[in-house]
Amino acid sequence: MIARLLEATELHGLDPARNPNLWWCSSAQKLLDEGFVFEKDDEDGEAEEHYSVILGYPPTLEDAKRFVAAFTKERRPGQ
């Protein structure tokens, strides 16, 4: 899935050489389990794979900490 998402972003004009070798990843299920909500922005040209994560209305510092804690450091496939 990571490779598919990187490919989708690169098809939308991002330079693959500038994508970092390491990044932070989480799963949608983990974020949902933490109480976060996904929404489409419905912007013109928005990639089908893109969703925004709603941290809260308004988000609190605790929401931001829970969000960050849901991620782990990963390496780009093949590197």
Side-chain angles (χ1 to χ4, degrees):
M1 180 179 79
I2 291 169
R4 183 175 64 83
L5 291 174
L6 284 172
E7 181 181 336
T9 62
E10 290 161 1
L11 289 174
H12 284 85
L14 295 179
D15 180 0
R18 294 182 54 105
N19 277 336
N21 293 329
L22 294 171
W23 63 89
W24 295 94
C25 291
S26 188
S27 70
Q29 187 60 58
K30 184 164 182 76
L31 294 172
L32 291 169
D33 290 347
E34 290 294 327
F36 296 110
V37 176
F38 291 84
E39 290 183 3
K40 289 294 284 177
D41 293 330
D42 293 325
E43 294 180 7
D44 289 341
E46 180 181 31
E48 182 180 333
E49 295 87 355
H50 181 267
Y51 284 81
S52 292
V53 178
I54 306 304
L55 301 184
Y57 294 104
T60 65
L61 183 56
E62 289 74 27
D63 293 329
K65 288 178 181 177
R66 279 187 309 109
F67 182 74
V68 170
F71 288 78
T72 59
K73 200 174 211 180
E74 302 291 335
R75 185 169 295 280
R76 184 178 180 145
Q79 298 208 354

